[in-house]
Amino acid sequence: MEELGNLMGGFSVALTGPNLLYMLIGIVLGVLIGVLPGLGGANGVAILLPLTFSMNPTSAIIMLSCIYWGALFGGAITSILFNIPGEPWSVATTFDGFPMAQQGKAAQALTAAFTSSFVGALFAVVVITFLAPLLAKFALKFGPAEFFAVQLLTFCSFVGMSKEPPAKTIAAMMLGFALAAVGLDAVTGTLRMTFGVTDLMRGFDFLIAVIGLFGIGEILLTMEEGLAFKGKSAKISPRVVFQTWGLLFKHWKTFLRSTAIGCWMGITPGGATPASFMSYGMARRISKNPQNFGKGELEGVVAPETAAHAAGTAALLPMLTLGIPGSPTAAVLLGGLLIWGLQPGPMLFIEQKDFVWGLIASMYLGNIVGLIVVLSTVPWWAAILRIPFAVIAPVIIVICAIGAYTVHSSMFDVALMMVFGVMGYLFKKLKYPLAPLVLALVLGDMAESSFRQAMLLSQGSLSIFWANPLVGSIFSLALLMLVWPLFGAVKSRLAARAVQPKEA
């Protein structure tokens, strides 16, 4: 098959000495980022992105994607040993992982979590390998109307599928659109909302915003909560690893189900966090012993970790083929590709074949390297959490400031980072989602350009969005996702009214 031949070519790119070194560095940095509360996959990639500007794009994206894989692995360590989710998607892992650690089964829980993460990611990479070229060829038929319909579907899916109140999701997204509109108009060349500040002519750089919103905002919130590390120690031996692998074979149905959930939630903009909770809930509902969940059930670790890794990996599929990120981290990687002069989309598979297949090959290798690293170095990462958070927090803030400054070598960007940090803190305190804001900030310009080009082609008629079955179906699905919460609200009210007469 053509895909297998391209994949072999990708391995020849990924298996070069420098790329293997960057892969290992990325995994180690990613695990460290995943272990430290206050950071995370999106934050780590955003903070370290400026360090890759002098590298060639292939090596840079391999290192950054491996940071992401490492962060996915690392989040399970704090969840199981300390009951502190290092990542949002690791919350569901604490439900059974920490009770297992308290029962003296920390090594078993960690082995199950790492193995599940590896399996979920491996299946997702296989999906990317065989589905991405087909989706890219299909996307070659897209024009401005089709691209805007897909972008609208992405935005509306956040409204329809998010667990957050739709009003909060829309408010965050509108703020992201407003921030994306600041600066030079790409179509007319006029300045918009700069208010005489020359530094705003280039607009709000998504990297500055992400570092502030995620990194600084999370640190401020964590400092307010007075985080202290208390937990269990663990050491994984080969005997425990093989024993646990023997037990995991019994849960092959959970692996398949969680992988399917994760891949779907990654390709659509659901994300790893909803995927982990959905998979955990499904496993508990189907289990023959649901009463054991929350008390140290092995399946309660397998389900969320498999789904989270599958979703985190599958999120790169729409980013590479359509230029539509499926997660905040994918949005940061999308920004990196644009900075390096690469335009994600169907033409990427034709014009930059070595780059794309080198990245896909590195996904296979990165997950194998990540599994080996975390299984052999758990005690080291657990020891890091003995360092007082009062020491770790200032170090993270300094790293964020350096990352923001290196984007344009401007102190104005550092000040903007702090402003976005306060905004991120307020968003988290008020329970507003940050992902829709980041998505709108990254895709706002692209969506606006696609919409205006479509309007120019149709001379201002919205009928272009129903001009053919492809764009019509995507646009209609987007509108359905937008109003989907209304159906849920109506259903809840009807159910409440039906209960009231019975109670009376």
Side-chain angles (χ1 to χ4, degrees):
M1 294 177 68
E2 184 182 354
E3 288 81 5
L4 293 178
N6 290 329
L7 183 61
M8 292 302 105
F11 276 113
S12 67
V13 174
L15 285 171
T16 58
N19 286 342
L20 284 174
L21 178 61
Y22 290 132
M23 195 181 300
L24 181 60
I25 293 172
I27 290 290
V28 173
L29 289 175
V31 176
L32 175 61
I33 286 165
V35 165
L36 292 175
L39 285 178
N43 309 336
V45 173
I47 293 168
L48 298 175
L49 180 59
L51 302 180
T52 65
F53 289 167
S54 60
M55 299 163 58
N56 71 73
T58 304
S59 298
I61 197 70
I62 286 175
M63 179 175 168
L64 291 173
S65 63
C66 285
I67 290 173
Y68 185 30
W69 313 145
L72 283 166
F73 277 115
I77 297 175
T78 51
S79 299
I80 291 171
L81 297 183
F82 295 86
N83 202 29
I84 300 171
E87 300 282 357
W89 53 77
S90 297
V91 173
T93 308
T94 63
F95 299 160
D96 285 276
F98 187 64
M100 287 184 70
Q102 289 179 313
Q103 297 165 16
K105 300 178 182 177
Q108 186 186 73
L110 287 168
T111 301
F114 298 150
T115 306
S116 302
S117 300
F118 171 77
V119 171
L122 181 63
F123 273 93
V125 177
V126 171
V127 170
I128 291 176
T129 302
F130 292 100
L131 193 58
L134 297 176
L135 189 56
K137 290 177 183 177
F138 178 69
L140 286 172
K141 301 177 181 179
F142 281 27
E146 285 80 5
F147 273 111
F148 176 74
V150 171
Q151 289 153 355
L152 181 66
L153 177 60
T154 305
F155 298 132
C156 293
S157 295
F158 262 99
V159 178
M161 298 179 65
S162 175
K163 290 187 176 182
E164 304 291 338
K168 289 187 175 182
T169 302
I170 292 174
M173 204 174 287
M174 291 300 107
L175 180 58
F177 286 135
L179 295 174
V182 174
L184 198 66
D185 186 340
V187 177
T188 64
T190 57
L191 290 175
R192 303 187 297 190
M193 294 188 288
T194 57
F195 305 106
V197 180
T198 56
D199 287 300
L200 290 179
M201 289 178 62
R202 59 175 176 257
F204 290 106
D205 194 288
F206 87 99
L207 189 56
I208 308 298
V210 167
I211 292 174
L213 290 169
F214 288 94
I216 302 298
E218 188 66 34
I219 288 293
L220 292 175
L221 190 67
T222 306
M223 290 171 66
E224 180 191 37
E225 293 172 351
L227 182 62
F229 298 133
K230 296 177 182 178
K232 302 290 181 180
S233 60
K235 185 176 181 181
I236 298 179
S237 65
R239 183 176 59 84
V240 173
V241 171
F242 289 115
Q243 285 180 348
T244 306
W245 284 351
L247 294 173
L248 291 178
F249 279 114
K250 300 176 183 178
H251 302 294
W252 62 273
K253 291 182 180 178
T254 304
F255 278 117
L256 292 177
R257 183 174 60 248
S258 300
T259 300
I261 293 172
C263 288
W264 171 251
M265 295 299 286
I267 294 172
T268 61
T273 305
S276 64
F277 279 99
M278 186 183 300
S279 182
Y280 182 87
M282 188 77 72
R284 184 174 183 175
R285 191 176 302 117
I286 296 175
S287 174
K288 296 178 181 178
N289 302 302
Q291 69 279 0
N292 293 340
F293 279 72
K295 300 177 182 178
E297 177 69 22
L298 187 65
E299 191 176 3
V301 175
V302 171
E305 285 295 313
T306 305
H309 248 240
T313 306
L316 297 180
L317 175 60
M319 188 271 282
L320 289 172
T321 56
L322 300 174
I324 306 296
S327 70
T329 307
V332 177
L333 291 174
L334 170 64
L337 293 180
L338 296 174
I339 289 172
W340 297 319
L342 299 173
Q343 179 62 52
M347 293 304 295
L348 192 68
F349 284 76
I350 299 173
E351 298 172 351
Q352 300 289 340
K353 183 177 290 188
D354 287 346
F355 168 82
V356 172
W357 289 103
L359 171 60
I360 293 175
S362 75
M363 295 180 188
Y364 287 97
L365 298 174
N367 279 287
I368 295 172
V369 173
L371 180 64
I372 296 171
V373 168
V374 292
L375 284 175
S376 58
T377 58
V378 163
W380 301 352
W381 305 115
I384 291 174
L385 296 181
R386 309 296 176 187
I387 302 172
F389 193 76
V391 175
I392 293 177
V395 172
I396 296 173
I397 292 176
V398 170
I399 293 172
C400 290
I402 293 172
Y405 179 80
T406 53
V407 177
H408 299 295
S409 299
S410 171
M411 285 303 296
F412 180 76
D413 288 339
V414 178
L416 269 183
M417 176 199 72
M418 296 306 298
V419 172
F420 277 111
V422 174
M423 184 188 300
Y425 166 78
L426 293 175
F427 263 59
K428 291 175 184 294
K429 290 291 288 184
L430 298 173
K431 301 188 185 305
Y432 276 76
L434 284 174
L437 189 153
V438 174
L439 184 75
L441 185 60
V442 173
L443 289 183
D445 281 340
M446 296 169 61
E448 180 189 4
S449 297
S450 298
F451 178 76
R452 291 168 74 173
Q453 289 171 13
M455 289 294 95
L456 288 172
L457 289 172
S458 67
Q459 298 181 343
S461 173
L462 291 175
S463 62
I464 192 172
F465 297 116
W466 285 274
N468 59 67
L470 175 61
V471 67
S473 58
I474 298 174
F475 202 84
S476 299
L477 181 59
L479 296 179
L480 176 63
M481 295 302 297
L482 182 62
V483 299
W484 188 258
L486 294 177
F487 292 116
V490 171
K491 184 178 179 180
S492 299
R493 288 190 177 183
L494 291 176
R497 289 182 179 179
V499 171
Q500 285 177 356
K502 294 180 181 179
E503 293 178 347

